Amino acid sequence: MLKNYLLVGFRNLLKHKLFSLINIMGLAIGMAASILILKYIFYESSYENKNINSDNAYRLVVERYQNGIKQFESARSYPAFYRLVLDNIPEIENCARVYPEDCMFRYDGKKLSGQSVLWADNSFLKIFNVQLLKRNSNSPLGNTFTTVISEAASKRLFGNEDPLGKIIVLNEGIRFIVNGVFKDYQVNSHIKFDFILSMNTLGVLENEELINTQYYNWLYNYVTLKNNTLYKETEKRINKLIESRFGYLKDDNSKIICTLQPIKAIHLKSNLSEEISPNSDIQIIYYLSIITAIILFMAWINYINLSTARALERGSEVGIRKVVGADKNQIITQFIIESLLIDFIALISAVLISSVLSSLIKNYSTMNNLYLNYSEFGFWFFLLFAFLMCGVAAGLYPAIILSSFKPNLTIKGKFRNTKGGLFIRRFLVVFQFTSAIVLITCTLIVYKQIEYVKSQKLGFSTSQVLIVNTPRSLINNPDRVRLFEYYKEQLLKNSNIKSVSAADNIPGKEIVNHLENYTKYGGQQQSVSYSACNIDRDYFNLLKIKFIAGRSFLQEYPSDSNAVIINNEAKMLLGFESEENVIGKRIINLSNNSIYNVIGIVDNYHQEDLKKKIEPIIYFKGHNYQFGYFVFKISTNNLNNTINEINNKWDEVYPDDPFDYFFLDVFFDAQYNADRQFGQIVLIFSLIAIIIALLGLFGLSFLTAIQKTKEIGIRKTLGASVINIVYTLSKEFLAIVLIAIIVSLPFVFYIMDNWLNTFTVRIKLNVWLFLIPSFVIVVVAMLTISIQIIKVAKANPIDSLRYE
């Protein structure tokens, strides 16, 4: 019996080739898009899954309040938490302090810069399930000046040598012994590293107080809880300990609230300041899930619409089957088998299409994990099960309709297009085009917003600004200031190098150094957290950051070592009323009574992207902090020669450090990559949705034209023109598209208005942003409909009247 069902199914596919192609391609394209998005969603949702401790592992995050006002909410926490929780809360199994850094390593003449490094306690290996392939001891990070490295790092530094026991040199010359090699850590984790250095070494290099302080939240704390421990109860105990042990908080009228954040929630649900690495956004997953459902539903709508319309043409076949004894279940089974056959062919086609589309999408988005891994049984089982069930569901509707008609009516063909059936098909087509219009309009609005943001004045110049990572080999070396001045002096002899400066931070990068308890001298304590930046004297002039009042730091003024410059936002929050009254005034750090003279006020500028608010910044002079960046203003004339000159002088002054550079405009603009690429993702799948909708519309217009062939012949015989016939037959479809446009408007407005509100500056949702995509959809839909209708309308009316 199954063989007979399949044979009949194949015969129907081959008999109606165009109809079968439209049906299969619509399903295949929808399935292919769904495979890609589901693959991405599965990957993004799998962060930390390979860590066997992930269900019991947490990050300690903090909120700090002063005078009842929130100062910050940070992913970083206080080093003192480490001993606090280990010594007092038995439910905590392990705790590890972690501090990330990009470092340079040397070994036997090799130099590797920009390496992902973690300073961490030995317990980090247990918490994150780091799998050691080789080790010298059971506690490889227990001693000072020890490290464990990844397989990849071992190959980069040592090639085929055994790294155990070897000495590698960090930055300015600190020697570490390799105590272990670990398996390359999972890609889908919020934390990346190739080298892990012992945390107690940092205590020796700086001081023990630094890695145990309760005054600064400069590192990350992770814990694992014992099984069956309620983490909310543990949170309460931690906060009671903080309240009793952090005595200075009461004196400052401050409060710290600690929260245990599940590490599985970090990648998609955490958007704190000072994140250890950029995270994704659960909202993107929600949007993509909705898009997947829409596209898949559109593909099934096409199938149901076309199958139902085509099934009506098979009324005589169904009637004869019922006359010769076929019961309702047999007819339903026949249609379901045919549906599954089409669904299976579409699924095979979808896998092939998705393989091609994955390469295209990787080039235009961050969705770079779309390769189809055939060994992922769970993913494919879920996919196959879902499509099989949907194939059955898609075949049921036309099967039940046809099997319910009486044999005498089906044989005579007196059952076509009931009002209920027409309404359902029209409703489904409206849904298709509503979805397509929503997607394409959202794409246009995202594009316009990104372009609008890029056109905004940032308050500084990114043009012709070259950034170089500062030399790591000179950390803590007093010669670094002298060498920088010499390097700067030599380069300024080149007419294509207009200015040289340095800073510990640059626009486009989050300022992670924050100051509390600063206020104007003689004023009251303020509940404000200020960002702190260390800069060289030419920094503002180079970036064309305007002074509202006062001046920049000057080399000939030694007193500037106790001076600060503030931005306009900091001026207002410090309590100064006007620019003229600020210059020469003093501000004080109430924590240690350090006093600074205000010598200048710069205009506000956007340190980060325009989703972030302007932050109050206090600028300090000089190299007391290890500069992170050298900044160059260069001419575009002979650009390559200029960069080579900077590189050559670098090799002369800093022979132990590699030359790493990038351009500020590219770096700053990269902050919008996520939004830009999200828009590109939506565009790609919007086009797919439109193709599916048009395939369905073409199929329905094709069937309508065939069903009304006799009507068309009669109209032409009575003198109707081709244009009149096209208008008569297409106005129903045009009405459907216009209804879809009206229905789509409130959805687009609601979705995009919420998205635009995440920016500090945004475009207005004017009517043209809605009309242009709608007009394009109408034109394309009418062309699609007209192709088939014109073909039939131009046919010889004699042939039309012979129909049936």
Side-chain angles (χ1 to χ4, degrees), residues 40-56:
Y40 180 75
I41 291 172
F42 267 64
Y43 180 84
E44 288 291 290
S45 303
S46 70
Y47 267 58
E48 318 300 344
N49 280 356
K50 293 182 180 179
N51 180 357
I52 61 175
N53 299 315
S54 60
D55 289 331
N56 292 318

Side-chain angles (χ1 to χ4, degrees), residues 74-108:
S74 176
R76 293 186 178 185
S77 53
Y78 296 83
F81 285 0
Y82 175 70
R83 291 257 57 98
L84 186 73
V85 299
L86 280 180
D87 294 344
N88 298 282
I89 303 179
E91 292 84 2
I92 290 181
E93 189 171 47
N94 286 297
C95 182
R97 295 162 296 184
V98 177
Y99 179 71
E101 191 175 10
D102 287 339
C103 295
M104 180 182 72
F105 288 96
R106 286 174 287 165
Y107 172 76
D108 194 26

Side-chain angles (χ1 to χ4, degrees), residues 439-452:
L439 290 174
I440 201 69
T441 308
C442 288
T443 301
L444 177 62
I445 293 172
V446 169
Y447 171 78
K448 294 294 290 183
Q449 172 63 17
I450 296 301
E451 290 302 306
Y452 179 72

Side-chain angles (χ1 to χ4, degrees), residues 216-385:
Y216 306 105
N217 62 314
W218 64 271
L219 50 66
Y220 304 86
N221 281 287
Y222 292 88
V223 299
T224 51
L225 304 183
K226 294 178 181 177
N227 290 334
N228 302 319
T229 300
L230 298 175
Y231 79 94
K232 286 296 181 182
E233 294 299 319
T234 306
E235 265 182 20
K236 293 177 182 177
R237 296 188 62 184
I238 292 173
N239 284 308
K240 286 181 180 179
L241 283 169
I242 293 171
E243 191 174 349
S244 63
R245 303 292 179 88
F246 284 47
Y248 73 92
L249 293 174
K250 292 182 180 178
D251 298 335
D252 293 343
N253 198 22
S254 299
K255 184 178 182 180
I256 292 173
I257 297 177
C258 176
T259 303
L260 291 179
Q261 183 182 47
I263 65 168
K264 278 189 171 183
I266 292 174
H267 180 65
L268 290 177
K269 298 180 180 178
S270 183
N271 187 29
L272 304 173
S273 64
E274 301 164 332
E275 289 283 356
I276 200 166
S277 62
N279 291 325
S280 187
D281 187 349
I282 191 66
Q283 295 296 326
I284 292 177
I285 300 301
Y286 292 151
Y287 288 140
L288 291 177
S289 298
I290 293 170
I291 291 173
T292 304
I294 288 172
I295 289 176
L296 206 50
F297 193 39
M298 288 174 71
W300 291 329
I301 287 172
N302 270 0
Y303 178 76
I304 292 171
N305 273 342
L306 296 177
S307 294
T308 304
R310 172 56 71 185
L312 297 175
E313 302 298 313
R314 296 173 63 183
S316 298
E317 174 194 334
V318 173
I320 293 171
R321 282 176 178 271
K322 297 186 82 170
V323 167
V324 299
D327 60 25
K328 184 174 182 178
N329 290 336
Q330 287 176 319
I331 294 171
I332 290 175
T333 302
Q334 174 66 55
F335 278 93
I336 289 176
I337 292 294
E338 290 184 21
S339 174
L340 288 173
L341 179 62
I342 292 175
D343 199 53
F344 180 73
I345 296 172
L347 179 59
I348 300 301
S349 303
V351 172
L352 299 176
I353 293 171
S354 61
S355 298
V356 176
L357 282 178
S358 62
S359 300
L360 174 66
I361 294 175
K362 286 176 189 176
N363 293 333
Y364 289 98
S365 76
T366 54
M367 297 169 68
N368 53 8
N369 300 293
L370 298 177
Y371 59 89
L372 302 181
N373 186 349
Y374 296 98
S375 64
E376 292 183 345
F377 175 78
F379 173 77
W380 289 107
F381 177 80
F382 169 80
L383 199 64
L384 187 60
F385 176 79

Side-chain angles (χ1 to χ4, degrees), residues 677-690:
Q677 290 167 345
F678 176 66
Q680 291 168 340
I681 293 169
V682 175
L683 173 61
I684 291 170
F685 291 108
S686 297
L687 295 176
I688 291 172
I690 291 170

Side-chain angles (χ1 to χ4, degrees), residues 12-160:
N12 275 308
L13 286 179
L14 295 175
K15 184 179 179 181
H16 306 286
K17 295 182 180 66
L18 180 59
F19 165 79
S20 301
L21 180 64
I22 292 172
N23 234 347
I24 291 171
M25 286 305 299
L27 274 175
I29 293 172
M31 289 179 180
S34 301
I35 287 172
L36 292 174
I37 301 177
L38 284 174
K39 179 65 181 174
Y40 180 75
I41 291 172
F42 267 64
Y43 180 84
E44 288 291 290
S45 303
S46 70
Y47 267 58
E48 318 300 344
N49 280 356
K50 293 182 180 179
N51 180 357
I52 61 175
N53 299 315
S54 60
D55 289 331
N56 292 318
Y58 302 84
R59 180 172 69 179
L60 276 64
V61 301
V62 295
E63 297 175 50
R64 176 160 178 169
Y65 295 82
Q66 192 169 29
N67 298 325
I69 300 173
K70 183 188 287 188
Q71 297 291 291
F72 58 78
E73 185 176 6
S74 176
R76 293 186 178 185
S77 53
Y78 296 83
F81 285 0
Y82 175 70
R83 291 257 57 98
L84 186 73
V85 299
L86 280 180
D87 294 344
N88 298 282
I89 303 179
E91 292 84 2
I92 290 181
E93 189 171 47
N94 286 297
C95 182
R97 295 162 296 184
V98 177
Y99 179 71
E101 191 175 10
D102 287 339
C103 295
M104 180 182 72
F105 288 96
R106 286 174 287 165
Y107 172 76
D108 194 26
K110 291 182 182 178
K111 293 183 290 187
L112 297 177
S113 65
Q115 300 301 293
S116 298
V117 172
L118 294 180
W119 298 86
D121 295 295
N122 192 74
S123 51
F124 173 85
L125 303 176
K126 296 179 181 178
I127 294 173
F128 281 87
N129 192 34
V130 178
Q131 299 178 30
L132 290 169
L133 304 175
K134 300 178 181 179
R135 68 172 81 186
N136 275 343
S137 70
N138 290 328
S139 182
L141 296 175
N143 295 323
T144 56
F145 301 99
T146 56
T147 181
V148 294
I149 66 178
S150 69
E151 283 183 288
S154 176
K155 289 177 182 177
R156 290 198 297 269
L157 269 179
F158 301 101
N160 294 324

